[in-house]
Amino acid sequence: VQLQASGGGSVQAGSSLTLSCVASGFPVNSLNVGWFRQAPGKEREGVSCIKRDGGVTSYAEAVEGRFTISRDNGERTVYLQMNDLKPEDAAVYFCAATKIFSYGSSWKNPIEYEYWGQGTLVTVSS
C-alpha cells in the first residue's frame, strides 16, 4: 500500500482547504484510513478516520463540526474537507492506513497504522 497526500497550503483563518490521500496497491474501501497532524514541538495527533467497514467516520473533538472525511472508491482517494480553519489547525498533515485495527485499539493511535503518506503542510494565518 502506498499513500500520496496533497492539498495543503497557506490560508487565512476562516478559510477552507481539502486534503487528498490517494491509495495505491490496495482498494481504499478495504482500508481504515486516518488523517493525523503534527505541529512543531507537538506530538502527532489523530484528526479523523474513516473505517473500511461501513465507512464509519470519527473525529477529534477539536475538529468536530468543521472537518469532514470522505472516500471516493473509484478515485482511490480519501478526502479531508477542512472548513473554518483556525491558527491552531496549522500543522503537517499525514494520511495513514491499516487493513485492520488491533482489538480494543483507538483510531487515534498512530501505532495502529502501518502505511503512511508523506506530509502536506497547512499554515493558517490569523
Side-chain angles (χ1 to χ4, degrees), residues 8-99:
S10 181
V11 298
Q12 291 190 325
S15 299
S16 298
L17 276 176
T18 300
L19 306 183
S20 300
C21 177
V22 180
S24 59
F26 204 76
V28 71
N29 58 338
S30 295
L31 295 168
N32 301 300
V33 178
W35 281 99
F36 289 78
R37 66 187 182 187
Q38 188 165 20
K42 295 189 176 181
E43 291 187 353
R44 190 167 297 191
E45 64 171 346
V47 175
S48 184
C49 174
I50 184 164
K51 294 184 177 178
R52 66 176 193 180
D53 297 325
V56 174
T57 59
S58 301
Y59 299 93
E61 186 175 343
V63 306
E64 183 85 51
R66 299 187 296 122
F67 290 13
T68 302
I69 192 170
S70 63
R71 183 175 67 200
D72 185 323
N73 298 334
E75 294 295 325
R76 302 178 288 116
T77 303
V78 171
Y79 301 98
L80 185 68
Q81 172 70 41
M82 306 186 295
N83 296 328
D84 189 23
L85 283 160
K86 305 177 184 299
E88 53 264 39
D89 294 318
V92 177
Y93 283 71
F94 301 88
C95 62
T98 180
K99 295 177 183 177

